[in-house]
Amino acid sequence: MDVTQSLNLMIRKLEGFHPLSSADKDLLQHHSRTIREIPARQDIASEGDRPDFVYVMVSGFACRYKLLADGRRQIMAYMVPGDFCDFQVFILKERDHGIATLSNCKVVQIPAESVLELTERPAIARAFWWATLVDEATLREWLVSIGQREAEVRIAHLLCEMLMRLRAVGLVEGNSYSLPLTQADLADTMGMTVVHANRMLMSLREKDLIAIDGRQVTVIDVRRLEEFAGFNPNYLHLQAGSTPKPAARQAGDDKNPTLQPM
Amino acid sequence: MDVTQSLNLMIRKLEGFHPLSSADKDLLQHHSRTIREIPARQDIASEGDRPDFVYVMVSGFACRYKLLADGRRQIMAYMVPGDFCDFQVFILKERDHGIATLSNCKVVQIPAESVLELTERPAIARAFWWATLVDEATLREWLVSIGQREAEVRIAHLLCEMLMRLRAVGLVEGNSYSLPLTQADLADTMGMTVVHANRMLMSLREKDLIAIDGRQVTVIDVRRLEEFAGFNPNYLHLQAGSTPKPAARQAGDDKNPTLQPM
DNA sequence: CGCTCAATTGAATGAGCTCAAATCTCGTGG
DNA sequence: CCACGAGATTTGAGCTCATTCAATTGAGCG
């Protein structure tokens, strides 16, 4: 995985909203030198940590999550290549949630001070802010899903979302993408039991809406799946018609041999 | 309701994060001249609108919501005095959700261009960004609630949250506050049926955790309610010890005679 | 004083949960 | 190369929380 290329992914994403000058872009590149590799199923940042860094995904899948006292877990977001992990840095003495890898990941690590310096530039500040707003819009749609949609539809909706998001970063080939989640992860995302998640997934397969082979998800009929899910991609705020040239590789970039996927 | 005072509420909130110069504050005041009064149960901004304005709550309660094709509604946030309604302005050609009043409201209306101008100043831009992040943190906690907590606990948690948020803007007296919601609103917020919301509310009353008189909620034993709800206020990012002097009036500021409350 | 909308209550149904066990996959050690 | 073990998926059965449908009560307005 080429780091420069992945950074371009992030910058391209930001530029989708607001044009950046070469100086701005150079500054972003300059502050993005530190790369970290993190194995699957490990915290990038834990609840309770002092948030000293912002992370940008280069490869792999990560998630934002909270644990309750009784051990239940809610996953609140997935982060895929090109995504910022979080900007909590600016408000918290202590993180109110954890960020963990789902597959092996590479991330760019940017110190808090660098982010502060970057936000001195209005164009960059606005681009960051925009990225935050898109995250929030996605979060809202998840709330709608969990609050109102029934279990099977909810999963279908998520699979539609991931199709669009991964396509936007060149990680979809022929309506097929790598989704390195266990069914337990999926269940904790959707606010349901593993058992129920499994049955709903089964049902979607029986309906011939999707196929699953290992960690690879194939959407058999995009239109029908979107119809079934009541999916409207407006909340993702992807630029219309910005189908990027094939970039990078699959999301589950690195080998991840001990994890048995869906 | 004194407009200047309410603006101070907003500015005080922003300053809680990041100090603002007098020039910054003057600029904020300058762009906040237009006040709108909106009756209860009416859209401030509708899904599909072009987002030309940002609104700041002066008095009353409003909510952010989405409607599904089958008519179901999910309320995704409550906005109380001092809160921004949204910054969608910067990413959307078209709003992806509606904002509606729950009680009669007064709001400051700020044109998009003004917000752009304001964000030229790094301190203001960061303060706005911070406000966005706090909204997002609250949204995350709601997702956790709907995804993981059982119905009764979920409602208790919300009542704890409103107690803290309203206390922060001086709208709580003796653990009692005005919550101008119908049980149907509450149900659509919590992702449950009106019938079930009613029964859970009943159960909380039978447990002597809360009392409800009209639209007035009284928390009988804060510690016990928080314990029951598993409430941890960290996600609200309120400044420790910033108990403001009694400001403004009750949230349901204006008379709202046609609405029968909980 | 009747109308409308909100709150409350009852009864039957159902989506999703719990508990439990079987099967499958894949990496590891012998 | 094969057997084993850990973790993931799949399946079954019974139960419960929450829903649906329906009706009643209550409050405030015209």
Side-chain angles (χ1 to χ4, degrees):
Chain A
M1 169 61 66
D2 179 29
V3 173
T4 308
Q5 188 179 31
S6 297
L7 270 182
N8 286 343
L9 212 59
M10 182 252 288
I11 290 172
R12 182 172 60 186
K13 190 175 149 177
L14 292 179
E15 280 203 292
F17 159 64
H18 195 275
L20 298 172
S21 66
S22 333
D24 287 336
K25 285 186 267 192
D26 288 348
L27 199 62
L28 279 167
Q29 297 270 8
H30 174 76
H31 285 294
S32 308
R33 286 153 306 171
T34 313
I35 267 263
R36 270 181 66 192
E37 286 200 50
I38 303 162
R41 327 235 126 240
Q42 193 175 307
D43 270 7
I44 297 177
S46 305
E47 178 161 355
D49 280 2
R50 264 194 53 206
D52 295 328
F53 298 99
V54 161
Y55 300 95
V56 180
M57 297 296 297
V58 174
S59 71
F61 263 66
C63 70
R64 188 190 310 283
Y65 71 94
K66 270 194 182 188
L67 294 176
L68 296 189
D70 62 2
R72 298 172 73 97
R73 174 179 64 152
Q74 177 67 45
I75 291 178
M76 304 175 294
Y78 292 140
M79 277 81 76
V80 304
D83 289 345
F84 285 89
C85 280
D86 72 333
F87 285 116
Q88 292 286 313
V89 166
F90 298 101
I91 38 173
L92 286 179
K93 304 279 185 264
E94 201 180 279
R95 285 185 190 273
D96 68 358
H97 65 264
I99 297 179
T101 58
L102 292 166
S103 64
N104 297 336
C105 287
K106 290 202 184 86
V107 299
V108 170
Q109 186 183 56
I110 307 177
E113 316 87 65
S114 296
V115 180
L116 277 173
E117 188 182 325
L118 285 166
T119 55
E120 295 290 342
R121 293 173 164 268
I124 292 180
R126 266 181 232 157
F128 280 0
W129 191 13
W130 167 79
T132 307
L133 286 173
V134 173
D135 288 349
E136 198 181 319
T138 305
L139 196 52
R140 277 197 295 271
E141 194 64 36
W142 284 32
L143 190 75
V144 172
S145 268
I146 297 193
Q148 305 296 334
R149 295 193 242 262
E150 52 190 34
E152 195 178 0
V153 177
R154 216 182 300 172
I155 293 182
H157 196 276
L158 180 73
L159 295 178
C160 289
E161 176 183 314
M162 295 319 291
L163 181 67
M164 293 230 73
R165 285 174 58 185
L166 292 173
R167 203 199 295 285
V169 289
L171 294 173
V172 173
E173 271 179 71
N175 298 328
S176 183
Y177 56 89
S178 165
L179 191 67
L181 306 175
T182 65
Q183 292 186 1
D185 295 329
L186 183 65
D188 287 349
T189 305
M190 298 314 231
M192 64 183 78
T193 311
V194 198
V195 173
H196 202 55
N198 178 275
R199 286 199 240 263
M200 296 301 98
L201 232 24
M202 286 286 170
S203 176
L204 287 172
R205 295 203 266 191
E206 276 165 20
K207 290 187 172 77
D208 272 325
L209 290 168
I210 60 166
I212 298 177
D213 175 28
R215 71 194 57 183
Q216 198 73 16
V217 174
T218 303
V219 178
I220 294 173
D221 185 333
V222 178
R223 182 180 306 281
R224 262 180 66 228
L225 186 67
E226 292 185 348
E227 161 107 33
F228 180 80
F231 183 73
N232 177 346
N234 63 344
Y235 69 95
L236 293 172
H237 305 302
L238 298 170
Q239 301 354 292
S242 89
T243 316
K245 44 226 119 129
R249 283 195 274 145
Q250 289 298 12
D253 184 38
D254 312 284
K255 296 283 179 302
N256 191 18
T258 49
L259 176 68
Q260 261 187 65
M262 308 198 306
Chain B
M1 167 62 64
D2 179 27
V3 173
T4 308
Q5 188 180 31
S6 297
L7 270 181
N8 286 343
L9 212 60
M10 182 254 286
I11 290 173
R12 182 172 60 186
K13 190 176 149 176
L14 293 179
E15 280 204 292
F17 159 64
H18 194 275
L20 298 171
S21 68
S22 332
D24 287 337
K25 284 186 268 192
D26 288 347
L27 199 63
L28 279 167
Q29 297 272 8
H30 174 76
H31 284 295
S32 308
R33 287 153 305 170
T34 312
I35 267 264
R36 272 181 64 192
E37 286 201 49
I38 303 161
R41 326 232 129 243
Q42 193 175 308
D43 270 8
I44 297 177
S46 305
E47 178 161 356
D49 280 1
R50 264 194 53 206
D52 294 327
F53 298 99
V54 162
Y55 301 96
V56 181
M57 297 297 296
V58 173
S59 71
F61 262 66
C63 71
R64 188 190 309 283
Y65 71 94
K66 269 195 183 190
L67 294 176
L68 297 190
D70 62 2
R72 298 171 73 98
R73 174 179 66 152
Q74 177 68 44
I75 291 178
M76 303 174 296
Y78 292 141
M79 278 80 76
V80 304
D83 289 345
F84 286 88
C85 278
D86 71 335
F87 284 116
Q88 293 285 314
V89 167
F90 297 102
I91 38 174
L92 286 180
K93 305 280 185 266
E94 200 180 279
R95 287 185 190 273
D96 66 358
H97 65 264
I99 297 179
T101 58
L102 293 165
S103 64
N104 296 338
C105 288
K106 291 204 182 85
V107 300
V108 171
Q109 185 183 56
I110 307 176
E113 316 86 65
S114 296
V115 180
L116 278 172
E117 188 182 325
L118 285 166
T119 55
E120 294 290 342
R121 294 174 165 266
I124 293 180
R126 266 181 232 155
F128 280 0
W129 192 11
W130 167 79
T132 307
L133 287 173
V134 172
D135 288 349
E136 197 181 318
T138 305
L139 195 53
R140 277 197 296 269
E141 194 64 35
W142 284 31
L143 190 75
V144 172
S145 267
I146 297 193
Q148 304 297 333
R149 297 194 242 260
E150 51 189 38
E152 195 179 0
V153 176
R154 217 182 299 171
I155 292 182
H157 196 277
L158 180 73
L159 295 178
C160 289
E161 176 183 313
M162 295 319 291
L163 180 67
M164 293 229 75
R165 285 174 58 186
L166 292 174
R167 203 200 294 286
V169 286
L171 293 174
V172 173
E173 271 179 70
N175 299 327
S176 184
Y177 56 90
S178 165
L179 191 66
L181 307 175
T182 65
Q183 292 186 1
D185 295 329
L186 184 63
D188 287 349
T189 304
M190 297 314 231
M192 65 182 77
T193 310
V194 198
V195 174
H196 202 55
N198 178 275
R199 287 199 240 263
M200 296 301 98
L201 232 24
M202 287 285 169
S203 175
L204 288 172
R205 295 204 267 190
E206 276 165 20
K207 289 188 172 77
D208 271 324
L209 290 168
I210 59 167
I212 298 178
D213 174 28
R215 68 195 58 185
Q216 197 73 16
V217 173
T218 303
V219 178
I220 293 174
D221 185 333
V222 178
R223 184 180 303 281
R224 261 180 67 229
L225 186 67
E226 291 185 348
E227 161 106 33
F228 180 80
F231 182 74
N232 177 347
N234 63 344
Y235 69 93
L236 293 173
H237 306 303
L238 298 170
Q239 302 353 290
S242 88
T243 317
K245 43 223 134 187
R249 284 195 272 145
Q250 288 299 10
D253 184 38
D254 312 283
K255 296 283 177 304
N256 191 18
T258 49
L259 177 67
Q260 261 186 64
M262 305 197 308

